[in-house]
């Protein structure tokens, strides 16, 4: 058989031998996933509250995604943008129909979608205004990806330092501090980039009216508003995009992660007037709009963008918050449980400050996968359709992990 798969035995030690050392993944290696359960090389089962960092919105290997991928894989895999393809056009049409946007640009990740958004904003400002309008304002602790432009716009300097001169014209103000933004923004501001709920920065929701006030300041100074919905988008907070809950529309929105349900894809959505500035040849990607990715994404969109699934996300928020609050009260470990839909953070109380990773690792020992968002916050980004029994069982396992850390 001309099949060379699975003929080598690989372990976590092999990872250390052959991979660039920028990641330090868990010691176990997952080999199979179904719904919200995952099994490792030793056959141990885990309940997945991590969801591939807010990616696996339909859990693992959902039949709708498997079927879309299988069907497309027998038709056409790749062309490049020298040719277009039907799945890409269909998906773009659906995104335009379901959002504020008139135009779509496809990329392969969140960072790439944001890179496109920032380049487009700069191009728009140069062509519509003048070369003094270059300033990009973003928020402390925000996260927008790891390309040099996006990581510099992100509000965690530790991530962008150590690589030499950074892209310029980028400034930060604290999230939820509208006065700080008012002071900094001017007619020289090209764009404000923000997450409608900060994910990596600690699951921090915006204060009431903050998003609206940001929009107003952008309008006053003719600056573009870019919503990074890479983490909050595609149903994660209970609406297809989080902006729908704020009654505010961006000029540009970026989306990735759940957009492909596990197949790599990102997209930048924009209004007609802004999008017009990415003329032929100004930007591009070999894989952007790949037919496999777009076929899977369209299937995910059709499944997620229904009342049943979106209402279900709100139920999951309730189950998670209630049970996490109960654990917090029993063990005194959480200061606050917050977030929206299936993007929930539990901030550790002062006595456990800085120890989020200990809880995460204890969770793995007890068969539950959770994430952290900084050193003080446990983060939960499960499938949008995780069954109630899995939520219950996963949190029972987490409680055992919490008890273990508390007893130590
Ligand atoms: N933007 C936000 C809000 C994110 O949370 C992330 C990833 O965590 C990114 C951008 C970067 O996405 P990617 O890792 O797909 O490049």
């Amino acid at each position: 058989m001309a099949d060379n798969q699975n003929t080598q035995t690989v372990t976590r030690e092999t990872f250390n031998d052959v991979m660039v050392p920028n990641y330090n993944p868990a010691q176990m290696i997952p080999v199979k996933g179904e719904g919200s359960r995952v099994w490792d090389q030793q056959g141990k089962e885990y309940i997945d509250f991590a969801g591939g960092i807010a990616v696996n919105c339909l859990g693992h290997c959902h039949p709708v995604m498997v079927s879309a991928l299988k069907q497309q894989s027998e038709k056409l895999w790749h062309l490049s943008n020298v040719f277009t393809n039907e799945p890409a056009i269909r998906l773009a049409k659906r995104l335009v129909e379901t959002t504020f946007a008139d135009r779509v640009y496809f990329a392969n990740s969140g960072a790439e979608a944001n890179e496109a958004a920032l380049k487009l904003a700069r191009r728009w400002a140069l062509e519509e205004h003048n070369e003094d309008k270059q300033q990009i304002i973003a928020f402390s602790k925000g996260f927008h990806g790891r390309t040099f432009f996006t990581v510099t716009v992100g509000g965690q300097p530790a991530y962008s330092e150590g690589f030499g001169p950074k892209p310029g014209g980028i400034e930060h103000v604290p999230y939820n501090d509208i006065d700080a933004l008012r002071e900094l923004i001017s007619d020289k501001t090209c764009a404000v980039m923000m997450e409608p709920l900060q994910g990596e920065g600690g699951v921090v929701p915006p204060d009431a009216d903050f998003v609206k006030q940001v929009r107003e300041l952008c309008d006053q100074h003719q600056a573009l508003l870019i919503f990074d919905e890479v983490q909050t988008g595609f149903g994660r907070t209970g609406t297809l995009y989080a902006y729908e809950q704020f009654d505010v529309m961006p000029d540009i929105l970026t989306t990735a992660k759940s957009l492909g349900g596990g197949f790599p894809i990102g997209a930048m959505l924009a209004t007609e007037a802004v999008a017009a500035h990415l003329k032929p040849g100004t930007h591009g990607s070999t894989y952007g709009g790949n037919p496999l990715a777009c076929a899977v994404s369209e299937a995910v969109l059709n499944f997620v963008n229904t009342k049943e699934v979106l209402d279900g996300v709100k139920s999951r928020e309730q189950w998670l918050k209630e049970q996490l609050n109960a654990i917090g009260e029993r063990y005194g470990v959480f200061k606050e449980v917050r977030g929206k839909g299936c993007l929930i953070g539990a901030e550790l109380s002062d006595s456990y400050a800085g120890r989020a990773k200990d809880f995460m690792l204890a969770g793995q020992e007890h068969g539950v996968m959770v994430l952290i968002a900084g050193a003080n916050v446990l983060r939960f980004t499960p499938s949008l359709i995780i069954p109630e029994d899995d939520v219950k069982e996963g949190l029972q396992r987490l409680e055992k992990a919490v008890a273990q850390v508390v007893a130590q």
Side-chain angles (χ1 to χ4, degrees):
M1 204 168 92
D3 181 357
N4 67 355
Q5 288 177 17
N6 299 335
T7 54
Q8 300 184 62
T9 305
V10 292
T11 66
R12 183 61 174 74
E13 284 67 47
T14 324
F15 176 96
N16 290 344
D17 291 340
V18 298
M19 295 286 194
V20 166
N22 61 316
Y23 299 120
N24 180 23
Q27 291 305 311
M28 57 84 170
I29 302 184
V31 292
K32 181 178 150 57
E34 194 183 319
S36 284
R37 302 205 179 211
V38 169
W39 292 267
D40 71 13
Q41 285 179 317
Q42 278 68 45
K44 180 175 165 183
E45 183 206 79
Y46 301 81
I47 292 194
D48 187 3
F49 287 151
I53 319 188
V55 166
N56 300 318
C57 57
L58 301 184
H60 296 273
C61 305
H62 192 287
V64 157
M65 299 193 300
V66 172
S67 156
L69 184 59
K70 274 190 179 158
Q71 281 182 34
Q72 187 58 42
S73 75
E74 287 171 359
K75 283 189 198 153
L76 187 66
W77 280 37
H78 178 75
L79 291 161
S80 88
N81 286 295
V82 175
F83 308 93
T84 189
N85 66 78
E86 290 180 355
I89 302 171
R90 276 203 304 265
L91 176 60
K93 190 163 175 284
R94 292 279 287 122
L95 288 169
V96 163
E97 283 163 2
T98 49
T99 69
F100 76 99
D102 307 308
R103 300 280 171 169
V104 179
Y105 166 85
F106 286 121
N108 311 289
S109 65
E112 280 181 58
N114 283 332
E115 185 80 19
L118 293 163
K119 283 180 70 182
L120 170 57
R122 283 274 178 83
R123 185 58 76 133
W124 165 87
L126 270 175
E127 293 180 353
E128 288 285 321
H129 297 272
N130 55 63
E131 60 188 29
D132 287 338
K133 199 171 174 67
Q134 285 200 2
Q135 183 193 45
I136 288 164
I137 303 180
F139 294 91
S140 312
K141 296 196 181 156
F143 187 79
H144 302 296
R146 296 285 200 151
T147 65
F148 211 6
F149 201 171
T150 59
V151 82
T152 309
V153 173
Q156 303 198 49
Y159 291 165
S160 56
E161 274 158 15
F163 300 99
K166 297 181 192 180
I170 299 163
E171 290 179 73
H172 296 91
V173 293
Y175 198 68
N176 279 330
D177 188 342
I178 198 67
D179 292 335
L181 180 63
R182 190 175 292 113
E183 202 146 294
L184 184 62
I185 197 169
S186 73
D187 291 351
K188 292 186 174 172
T189 306
C190 152
V192 175
M193 181 177 248
M194 70 180 290
E195 295 161 84
L197 182 160
Q198 284 192 331
E200 301 295 316
V203 188
V204 182
D207 290 344
D209 286 342
F210 179 65
V211 181
K212 220 172 207 168
Q213 290 169 315
V214 174
R215 173 78 266 181
E216 283 163 13
L217 286 174
C218 286
D219 290 344
Q220 272 171 35
H221 296 282
Q222 290 184 290
L224 298 179
L225 177 58
I226 307 172
F227 282 160
D228 177 345
E229 292 233 28
V230 168
Q231 188 149 165
T232 53
F234 238 56
R236 179 126 323 255
T237 70
T239 45
L240 187 63
Y241 286 100
Y243 78 84
E244 296 164 41
Q245 298 168 43
F246 301 111
D247 204 18
V248 167
M249 292 219 261
D251 301 290
I252 303 176
L253 178 148
T254 55
T255 174
K257 290 192 184 272
S258 292
L259 176 65
F263 203 98
I265 179 170
M268 174 188 72
L269 316 185
T271 60
E272 178 82 44
V274 175
H277 292 271
L278 274 195
K279 295 190 183 75
T282 50
H283 192 58
S285 153
T286 299
Y287 284 115
N290 169 276
L292 293 169
C294 292
V296 173
S297 178
E298 191 193 2
V300 176
L301 176 57
N302 289 339
F303 194 96
V304 165
N305 196 27
T306 56
K307 188 168 167 13
E308 190 188 348
V309 170
L310 296 174
D311 284 352
V313 171
K314 291 165 198 148
S315 311
R316 281 151 186 82
E317 171 182 339
Q318 235 184 342
W319 304 335
L320 282 163
K321 280 185 170 168
E322 271 171 23
Q323 293 172 57
L324 283 169
N325 275 317
I327 294 175
E329 275 169 31
R330 278 197 287 277
Y331 296 88
V333 284
F334 301 140
K335 188 189 265 183
E336 186 184 29
V337 176
R338 59 183 180 240
K340 201 102 225 212
C342 289
L343 175 48
I344 299 296
E347 184 175 354
L348 296 174
S349 56
D350 293 345
S351 9
Y352 296 95
R355 295 191 59 194
K357 201 166 176 193
D358 294 344
F359 288 92
M360 180 183 83
L361 294 176
Q364 281 167 21
E365 260 180 63
H366 288 274
V368 60
M369 295 153 82
V370 302
L371 298 169
I372 60 177
N376 291 326
V377 177
L378 285 185
R379 180 170 37 147
F380 303 79
T381 54
S383 152
L384 308 183
I385 54 168
I386 184 172
E388 189 168 10
D389 284 348
D390 287 4
V391 172
K392 270 192 198 147
E393 190 170 338
L395 289 173
Q396 280 162 9
R397 294 181 189 186
L398 183 74
E399 179 160 0
K400 288 187 188 142
V402 166
Q404 179 179 309
V405 174
V406 168
Q408 271 160 11

